[in-house]
Amino acid sequence: MEKEFPIRQVLDGEGNITDDSYDLSEELVKDLYGKMLRARTLDKKSVNLQRQGRIGTYAPFEGQEASQVGSASALGEGDWMFPTYRDHGATLTFGHSVTTIMLYWKGRVEGCVPPEGKNIFPPAVPIATQLPHATGAAMAEKRKGTDRVSIAYFGDGATSEGDFHEGLNFASVFKAPVVFFNQNNGYAISVPIEKQMNSKTIAQKSLAYDMDGVRVDGNDVLAVYFETKKAVEKARRGEGPTLIEAVTWRYGAHTTADDPTKYRDQQVSEEKRNKIDPLLRLERYMEKQGFFDEQWKQDVTAQCDREIEQAVEEMEAFPDADINDMFGHVFKEPVWTIEKQREDYLTFKRGETV
Amino acid sequence: MEKEFPIRQVLDGEGNITDDSYDLSEELVKDLYGKMLRARTLDKKSVNLQRQGRIGTYAPFEGQEASQVGSASALGEGDWMFPTYRDHGATLTFGHSVTTIMLYWKGRVEGCVPPEGKNIFPPAVPIATQLPHATGAAMAEKRKGTDRVSIAYFGDGATSEGDFHEGLNFASVFKAPVVFFNQNNGYAISVPIEKQMNSKTIAQKSLAYDMDGVRVDGNDVLAVYFETKKAVEKARRGEGPTLIEAVTWRYGAHTTADDPTKYRDQQVSEEKRNKIDPLLRLERYMEKQGFFDEQWKQDVTAQCDREIEQAVEEMEAFPDADINDMFGHVFKEPVWTIEKQREDYLTFKRGETV
Amino acid sequence: MKTAAEIKTNKLTLVQAVTDGLRTMLKEHEEVLVLGEDVGQNGGVFRATDGLAAEFGEDRVMDTPLAEAGIVGTSIGLAINGFRPVAEMQFLGFVYPAYEQIMTHASRIRSRTLSRYSVPMVIRAPYGGGIRAPEIHSDSCESLFTHMPGMKVVVPSNPYDAKGLLIAAIEDPDPVLFMEPMRSYRAFKDDVPEEKYTVELGKGAKLTEGEDVTVIAWGNMVATAQKAVEKMEAEGISCELLDLRTLYPLDKDLIAESVQKTGRAVIVHEAPETGGVGNDVLSVINEEAFLYLRAPVSKVAGFDTPFPFFSLEEEYLPTPERIVHAIKKSVTF
Amino acid sequence: MKTAAEIKTNKLTLVQAVTDGLRTMLKEHEEVLVLGEDVGQNGGVFRATDGLAAEFGEDRVMDTPLAEAGIVGTSIGLAINGFRPVAEMQFLGFVYPAYEQIMTHASRIRSRTLSRYSVPMVIRAPYGGGIRAPEIHSDSCESLFTHMPGMKVVVPSNPYDAKGLLIAAIEDPDPVLFMEPMRSYRAFKDDVPEEKYTVELGKGAKLTEGEDVTVIAWGNMVATAQKAVEKMEAEGISCELLDLRTLYPLDKDLIAESVQKTGRAVIVHEAPETGGVGNDVLSVINEEAFLYLRAPVSKVAGFDTPFPFFSLEEEYLPTPERIVHAIKKSVTF
Ligand SMILES: Cc1ncc(C[n+]2csc(CCOP(=O)(O)OP(=O)(O)O)c2C)c(N)n1
Ligand SMILES: Cc1ncc(C[n+]2csc(CCOP(=O)(O)OP(=O)(O)O)c2C)c(N)n1
Ligand SMILES: [Mg+2]
Ligand SMILES: [Mg+2]
């Protein structure tokens, strides 16, 4: 099936155009580069914050910026995003707040709340559960008669869960405007894809649903962007869902609690950094095109650093978690059980007798 | 995908050979015919018993005898069968007892217990749940180093459940010797296949797992038999699982509690009886071959009737359900909760005070 | 307010009252959608959605693929995006594949997002024994949901309540499991108002006033308990029969007041005794009526065994006789 | 019998004791298989299966696809066909997708087939709060399984019990949910015998003798309760601390005897209070010690809210102080 589903690429690791059917403006390229750098800055900072104990366990995505930024850039205002715990590059690009993303990893429920007007669902922790949500939200838009779409992010491991299958089947049956965006990084924690599935590609799983499926170089932000855009536009036209497999690589650990040397040779990651890195290849391309400029890079870098640092400050200055938030949002209308528990507990905390 | 997965057929509805690559002995044909007639006799009798209130709700399979008998005939002693509530033609052929099958529908747990030495799992009521079991049992045989296989039966509706996906994925990853035998009768209760899935075939779902998939005329007992045999033999050789889609039709209601006129034109069933019936086409074939003989048919019919009638007698003479069986098999070693409940209840029943 | 005479009523069975409730809400709110297996053209395996697809169109009363997690999962997506899905599980015993979607999403989304998103969804499911159904079909697993923060659980015992509670459940801003006692589906008819009305969630009903023992039940067990209560009255033992109607949150005041008065309680349910909702009722009594108790609280429940094949179901299900026995034991403790 | 001096022991943490128990059984019984997500080369996300794949081969310690229903479903197939699978759920909060397979099959197969088939399977799962884990990871949903006929539920609180109970669970002829308190995984070490031994399922342990109040806990809550009990001793209130160890079936005699003596009980658990196993313990007390009770049974439990994000988890989890408070209230009732 690798033949039926060739990996689409626009730009190879060396920054050479391998498919010249797209119009690549300097603006587009620089915009995507800037977004990827911003995502990477957030990611690296978060890993550091975790090491310093300033946030909890964190799930890094360095290496996957092209997949996340490219796909998110193809969306429009009002579309719906259903990310996992690792898709901060996507949510950020789509308009999420850095502070909010960091709060999530600081163990704060506020980290689940998107900026007003942004349809970003909280990260799905139970694997693959968000796929049916994306389908349902897309069915809702279709019913409302809008041309909005939803996009669900998920990993290679997620394809094994029943919810993957049910989400795709429903979407195909109801011709829901959804893009199922898979980031195939070859591993589900320690489990390599060969133990996860017998198929050589994830894209081919679309055949089970007579759904369009496409494989794309997930480290090539241009290819990801254009392929996602096609899928999004198709969905907007009412022509149903698409499964996109973005073949990528995560340099670091599964999470900061994980030790990848237990199950893979980290040397490979180092090699890939030089060979297929999403940012580097774009730099190489820009250089070749003659519009790369160190000063520009430094400016963008500095701007990203400032933004992220400021978000860290905001995160750390954020008021303490409010115990009332735990009790106060289980139901819209309070129920006596929880009210009683809250009162008893607050009374206890005040040192009074109940 | 209908082109990639053509419906394989050996014998058409008129009894003409459409694929002459098989050796069709009179013995084989008569044997399969006899088994199908036996299954149909059981089925018709059960529907009648239900009407007379002598058993409870029943799930008929008339029309699907070729699928069930053909596939089950391809199995060997020691193989494992994982049926649904509708696969009595298969279990019967594989050596289940008629009395036991009827007891199941009489609301008797004894209806789940196969004859000694027969690996027949109780009918799966929750849809698609048996697929992972078949995979696990097959993995067990592989581990033991035998060449035994397992077969799982399921309907078109079952393909929508997550367990279908997980069962097939595990089987493909572990190269388990399983045959996934789908009976596509076009309906899941009232829901037609077009609302169940967007794909035109079920066989193509095998592509998601790089698994062999085949589509077969499920009313052609010869085609079913030979295709299943190939899959079984492949599995025995250690070459992994196969998905078989047998395209068939159930004449009657989903169960005796269902009214098919609510959702489909029963006239279609009547037409199919004459056009694609599994038994009729075999009779036509035998006639054309010159070895059909009314007397033989009458003898076989009489024999089936006798056997089924005797089973009905046995079923009805069966000792009453024993309340101790309800309490006695939850755990191997009794636990106090259930023991206490049993004692209290039995004491209560004896009219004593607890 | 209309007077009783002005309210037009129809004689409906419980299942017809469910249909009526669905129809009422489908008419009133465009956001209400009905979805599930066989709910469309077929009108549901119990005819609970009979005629609704024809009346409101197949895009509002939708047949879905056979996948409970998919049904609930897509309903969640619909619910967070403006709709009010009423999803049917064909039988409560088939809700298990959807358990993850309900447990980790439907019930938590409001909490997780500080109310930015919410899931105004109803999951309807026929449940319970007594209709000679095949395996799994008769499960009563309410406590899997009463133990789930963020879910409400509702069970009517009669047609009037069925319509009123269902409408209240659909109007509720949060997810509700709505359990329909199959054995009561066509057991009797009530006068059911044609117009829209609600029965408040979280409130039980006192069906009989009594002095000696409080008998607590829900769903089909209300009818069973009623028979026991009548027998007891004949023997001069006066029972207060409570129909809980909502299992989460329980009607604490109703339970507390009654048991404070009678000092004795017999709880009746179909689910296995251990871990059953009976224990939640016990817990309320322990906290609210401890000093009033004159006998241990008694439970007449299903056994800690899988629901048996139907030849034994009448042995498994609480009977008036078992309830009578428990009442007598309690009174003579 | 060997004397204490002859029994070689190692100082092990709870998670190491789990590994030791698995190793012991993998060595002794060829039919024992370990399977789950990341249990192979990686040795599990908590290292509970560390080194086992290397020692016993990847066909006995198997990485599986990421699918809990698939893991349990294939384990059922393995179990009915001669093997003893020990399946890991990476966290108990991820068991929900497998709930259907456990509820309708693992737990019922013996019953349904009059013991022709049985499922000698163990489902291991880390559970509970206190390690600042992301959402869902900290769920304590034991009562979803104690309410399930045909399942046993076991929770060790210390390394010695962990190995002994795990071996007993693997040897048990029926399915067992084996819950491992994450917060206790590396909290302390015990002397754990190198050889095989079992701790009997269904039996709790009395950790301290006392007169005034019975405190009942399991898993990590035992350590928390222990601290409360010590504080109380210092104040002259004598507590009997019970570690239940098995949640189904409960050790009725241990609970009954203790509460009959003390007349007071405080039950501690992490799960939401409503529908928690605390209510099953309450039910045992109601039945076995009603006449001895001097105060309502008290529960210190999780709230009826989803387990919060970790910044609030210490507010959610029972603390020694909350337990002390409950003990005092009970004693002064
Ligand atoms: C239902 C469920 N099971 C197990 C886990 C634990 N877990 C978290 S991430 C992960 C691997 C996911 O792999 P993949 O889908 O490839 O995404 P990636 O982490 O590689 O981005 C696992 C097993 C979970 N979160 N949810
Ligand atoms: C998990 C689950 N959901 C729903 C049902 C109710 N139900 C019983 S049979 C059936 C339709 C099955 O259709 P299909 O798989 O095509 O098999 P068929 O009955 O046509 O042979 C449904 C929905 C069930 N048994 N299990
Ligand atoms: Mg991955
Ligand atoms: Mg079908």
Side-chain angles (χ1 to χ4, degrees), chain B residues 104 107 161 190 196 341 345, chain C residues 38 66 68 135 304 311 315:
Chain B
Y104 183 82
E161 289 280 5
S190 73
Q196 195 69 244
Q341 289 168 354
Y345 185 60
Chain C
D38 304 291
L66 206 178
E68 289 75 12
E135 292 185 84
D304 283 12
S311 56
E315 305 272 0

Side-chain angles (χ1 to χ4, degrees), chain A residues 2 7 63-64 67 86-87 153-159 180-188 191-194 196-197 199-205 214-219 243-250 264 272 276:
Chain A
E2 289 134 305
I7 297 187
Q64 303 182 205
S67 292
R86 198 192 298 289
D87 299 309
Y153 288 86
F154 58 103
D156 42 304
T159 63
F180 294 104
F181 192 87
N182 179 268
Q183 287 168 83
N184 175 3
N185 75 321
Y187 282 91
V191 180
I193 189 161
E194 308 80 54
Q196 194 69 243
M197 64 194 73
S199 67
K200 296 283 177 299
T201 81
I202 286 167
Q204 77 193 69
K205 295 181 189 294
V214 32
R215 241 181 150 203
V216 61
D217 180 342
N219 281 26
L243 171 62
I244 299 178
E245 173 187 0
V247 181
T248 183
W249 188 261
R250 183 196 73 225
R264 72 181 195 193
K272 288 193 191 275
I276 60 164

Side-chain angles (χ1 to χ4, degrees), chain C residues 96 99 103 108 112 135 139 143-144 147 149 248 272 274-275 279-280 282-283 286 290 295-297 299 304-306, chain D residues 96 99 103-104 108 112 135 139 143-144 147 149 248 272 274-275 279-280 283 286 290 295-297 299 304-306:
Chain C
Y96 307 125
Y99 197 74
M103 178 59 136
R108 300 193 201 208
R112 291 173 70 209
E135 292 185 84
D139 282 18
S143 49
L144 306 181
H147 184 56
Y248 193 95
T274 301
N279 285 348
D280 288 331
L282 168 60
S283 174
N286 169 67
F290 177 74
V297 173
K299 286 177 280 170
D304 283 12
T305 72
Chain D
Y96 307 125
Y99 196 74
M103 179 57 136
T104 66
R108 300 193 202 208
R112 292 173 71 209
E135 292 183 84
D139 282 17
S143 49
L144 305 183
H147 184 55
Y248 194 93
T274 301
N279 285 347
D280 288 330
S283 173
N286 168 69
F290 177 74
V297 173
K299 285 176 280 172
D304 283 11
T305 74

Side-chain angles (χ1 to χ4, degrees), chain D residues 25-101:
Chain D
M25 293 307 282
L26 280 161
K27 245 186 225 159
E28 186 169 301
H29 291 292
E30 248 197 273
E31 313 86 59
V32 173
L33 305 174
V34 169
L35 71 171
E37 297 154 10
D38 304 289
V39 301
Q41 193 172 347
N42 195 40
V45 294
F46 287 103
R47 305 278 166 262
T49 54
D50 205 20
L52 299 180
E55 189 172 345
F56 300 98
E58 292 207 20
D59 66 327
R60 290 192 63 205
V61 181
M62 299 183 268
D63 281 328
T64 63
L66 205 177
E68 289 75 13
I71 293 169
V72 172
T74 51
S75 292
I76 289 170
L78 285 159
I80 58 162
N81 196 3
F83 291 91
R84 290 189 173 257
V86 183
E88 177 176 299
M89 299 286 104
Q90 201 157 78
F91 291 83
L92 186 60
F94 301 137
V95 74
Y96 307 125
Y99 196 74
E100 144 114 314
Q101 282 289 346

Side-chain angles (χ1 to χ4, degrees), chain D residues 219-236:
Chain D
N220 181 260
M221 286 297 111
V222 171
T224 307
Q226 186 96 50
K227 287 190 196 127
V229 165
E230 280 160 20
K231 284 191 194 181
M232 289 290 80
E233 299 288 337
E235 297 188 27

